[in-house]
Amino acid sequence: MPFGGSVAAGESIHRYHRRGGDPGDGLRDALADGAPSPEVAIIGGGAGGLAMAIQLQLAGCHTFTLFEKSDGVGGTWRDNSYPGSGCDVPSHLYSFSFASKADWTRKFPEQAEILDYFESLVPRFELGPHLRLETEITEVTWSEETGRWTLTTVQGSRHEADVVVSGLGQLNRPYIPDIPGLSEFEGTTFHSARWDHDHDLRGERVGVIGIGASAIQFVPRIAREARQLTLFQRSANYVGPKRDRPFRRIEKLAFTHLPFLQRAYRQWIYWRYEARFSLFKKNSRLGAYFQRMFTKLLQPMIETGDFTSEALVPDYPPGCRRILTASDWYPTLMQPHVSVVTEGVDKIGTRSIVTTDGVEHPVDTIIFGTGFATTEFLAPMKVTGRRGADLNEVWGGAARAYLGLSIPQFPNFFMLYGPNTNLGHNSILFMIEQQVAYTLSMLELMARRRLKAVDVTDVAMERYDQEIQELAGDTVWAEGCHSWYKNSEGRITNNWVSYTVDYRKRLSKIDLHDWDLEPV
Ligand code: NAP
């Protein structure tokens, strides 16, 4: 095999060639053949970072360090501990294929159990010695001379690595809108992803600003405590029932003792969810049907006169924003102490929220369910690549990455759950697994060919981006509605634009023509 540089026409290497083998088998073989073990720095101890660390461990590549800014792993599931927090993807699909859990207690997992699952992976795969907790990375800088990255922590210490894998994902920075008067508010305020568990909401007048995926989970819970609950909703959501229930003992026993049954169940869920992508196609007939049915089902609530159609029926096609599931949502709205306000929030008083119609709504506590800063991706971390290129400047607010993973001028740098890899219809862990497998193959390539740097070409980046944006134009997200899937210019920066099987196929081989390979 040649070292670096030249690539024969049509030459490509395939990743995890062996059926049933681990994605890191190729890297394992390369290391066993005497290739040097690359030093890998993983940033973030959420699902992505953990998956990468586990696969490196399984591949026998123990030269890695995982940096995590908080005091434990679990990422978004550590942050989002609000009441009612859980996942709308079924438990058996919301776990790694290489680290299954047979004894999930419910059909849809709750936050505590998901966090427990991710935490359990640390001893299970002996990741402890590789973790650097409470270590926030603020800067990552490429050195042309050494062909290595320097990572700087918030405390100012430095660490070097051959390869950096970012596991920061898309949903790690809570977004609180800059509403006039907020700093003078005399009550309590917090964001759903930074829930103040010491604050007692019993008997309080609570205002919730922002009604999305998180709010529909915590609102039914806090409605049991608050004296008065006012929901400031800018856009209505499509909310369907969540067919959740605890697993019976016999089911858990069957999954534990008959692993093939668990695998079959997982596959069944995967394909059922995968089929839902068709709803995201522009002018989808399924979407139109869904919209008609939804409007019809809500009609009786509107006819009571307690709700306007604006409060309940979205003015955008289904799927334009995440379709939500919660069986307790509409019953909660019907409680006498709960009200939905659709007028925009104008300002915040010392003890109230004032809407654009001039009405003052008294509140003791304001909870922000306003989501996350999603389109800035790695910010505020400063990533400096070749010739001083600053990643956020390169992107200029329009993040993009080849396969969602890699950006030209930022060699040996891989992103997990990067641009255009978010899903609205299936498990994000599936996407992360494909990205980790691809990255392992790149590491194998680097190790076998003694490469100093692998850098995706500008041509490949352009071609890929054009194709993705064309496909994006054919989706429901390109229609009039706004969402966190798009940047301020309307470019779809966050979502994967096709079926997940399409993504897997694209990542199933490395096309060497798309990469500049630089030998040591
Ligand atoms: P979100 O779904 O983005 O909802 C944020 C809400 O805040 C939206 O309703 C938005 O209104 C509103 N908002 C934003 N700025 C506002 C402002 N200035 N004034 C008034 N309202 C404002 O955020 P999230 O609920 O935290 O969920 C974020 C993502 O996390 C989800 O989409 C999902 O991917 C993930 N999540 C997943 C699950 C799960 O079960 N898998 C659960 C929770 C969260 P507009 O809609 O009008 O913009």
Side-chain angles (χ1 to χ4, degrees), residues 394-410:
V394 168
W395 276 340
R400 56 189 205 154
Y402 172 78
L403 302 174
L405 268 172
S406 208
I407 315 108
Q409 307 301 323
F410 296 84

Side-chain angles (χ1 to χ4, degrees), residues 82 86-88 171 175 177 192 209-215 217 234-235 321-322 369-372 482 484:
Y82 57 76
C87 191
D88 56 9
L171 301 168
Y175 164 71
S192 58
I209 299 181
I211 306 297
S214 303
Q217 294 185 334
R234 201 163 62 174
S235 320
R321 285 205 292 262
R322 196 174 181 89
T370 39
F372 300 84
H482 67 276
W484 66 260

Side-chain angles (χ1 to χ4, degrees), residues 271-286:
W271 287 109
R272 222 160 34 100
Y273 275 65
E274 183 69 342
R276 295 180 181 188
F277 184 80
S278 62
L279 195 73
F280 299 152
K281 297 245 174 90
K282 224 180 205 170
N283 304 321
S284 134
R285 296 222 322 244
L286 181 62

Side-chain angles (χ1 to χ4, degrees), residues 76-77 80 82 85-89 94 109 171 175-179 191-193 209-218 232-237 242 316 321-322 324-325 344-345 368-372 374 417 422-424 482-485:
T76 195
W77 296 107
N80 287 277
Y82 57 76
S85 172
C87 191
D88 56 9
V89 174
Y94 203 78
L171 301 168
Y175 164 71
I176 294 188
D178 188 13
I179 305 173
H191 187 277
S192 58
I209 299 181
I211 306 297
S214 303
I216 64 130
Q217 294 185 334
F218 70 73
F232 296 86
Q233 177 186 277
R234 201 163 62 174
S235 320
N237 294 292
K242 192 171 188 177
Y316 53 87
R321 285 205 292 262
R322 196 174 181 89
L324 310 178
T325 54
V345 171
F368 288 95
T370 39
F372 300 84
T374 54
Y417 191 12
N422 178 59
L423 299 179
H482 67 276
S483 73
W484 66 260
Y485 305 154

Side-chain angles (χ1 to χ4, degrees), residues 363-402:
V363 288
D364 303 306
T365 291
I366 302 174
I367 304 174
F368 288 95
T370 39
F372 300 84
T374 54
T375 51
E376 292 160 15
F377 287 86
L378 304 177
M381 190 169 76
K382 187 172 165 62
V383 183
T384 310
R386 289 194 199 276
R387 291 175 285 282
D390 178 308
L391 183 52
N392 275 306
E393 280 172 21
V394 168
W395 276 340
R400 56 189 205 154
Y402 172 78

Side-chain angles (χ1 to χ4, degrees), residues 211-415:
I211 306 297
S214 303
I216 64 130
Q217 294 185 334
F218 70 73
V219 162
R221 297 295 177 101
I222 64 171
R224 297 173 195 166
E225 299 177 355
R227 170 159 57 97
Q228 193 183 313
L229 186 54
T230 314
L231 311 177
F232 296 86
Q233 177 186 277
R234 201 163 62 174
S235 320
N237 294 292
Y238 287 97
V239 186
K242 192 171 188 177
R243 305 199 190 281
D244 190 21
R245 67 165 174 83
F247 280 116
R248 298 181 189 98
R249 198 164 157 265
I250 181 86
E251 291 170 321
K252 284 190 276 185
L253 280 174
F255 289 141
T256 305
H257 296 291
L258 304 169
F260 72 90
L261 193 69
Q262 193 206 4
R263 282 196 297 275
Y265 179 57
R266 184 183 161 98
Q267 283 292 315
W268 179 69
I269 305 169
Y270 171 79
W271 287 109
R272 222 160 34 100
Y273 275 65
E274 183 69 342
R276 295 180 181 188
F277 184 80
S278 62
L279 195 73
F280 299 152
K281 297 245 174 90
K282 224 180 205 170
N283 304 321
S284 134
R285 296 222 322 244
L286 181 62
Y289 171 75
F290 187 96
Q291 192 166 20
R292 274 199 310 278
M293 287 302 292
F294 186 82
T295 312
K296 201 167 147 193
L297 283 170
L298 288 179
Q299 209 50 40
M301 264 178 90
I302 295 165
E303 280 164 12
T304 61
D306 292 336
F307 300 94
T308 59
S309 151
E310 194 191 359
L312 298 181
V313 183
D315 59 2
Y316 53 87
C320 218
R321 285 205 292 262
R322 196 174 181 89
I323 295 174
L324 310 178
T325 54
S327 300
D328 48 5
W329 178 245
Y330 296 112
T332 301
L333 296 190
M334 285 192 274
Q335 294 180 36
H337 68 303
V338 179
S339 54
V340 182
V341 174
T342 52
E343 293 296 333
V345 171
D346 184 33
K347 58 184 177 192
I348 291 179
T350 50
R351 210 84 189 182
S352 65
I353 296 174
V354 183
T355 41
T356 47
D357 53 359
V359 176
E360 190 159 7
H361 306 265
V363 288
D364 303 306
T365 291
I366 302 174
I367 304 174
F368 288 95
T370 39
F372 300 84
T374 54
T375 51
E376 292 160 15
F377 287 86
L378 304 177
M381 190 169 76
K382 187 172 165 62
V383 183
T384 310
R386 289 194 199 276
R387 291 175 285 282
D390 178 308
L391 183 52
N392 275 306
E393 280 172 21
V394 168
W395 276 340
R400 56 189 205 154
Y402 172 78
L403 302 174
L405 268 172
S406 208
I407 315 108
Q409 307 301 323
F410 296 84
N412 304 2
F413 185 90
F414 300 94
M415 294 173 74

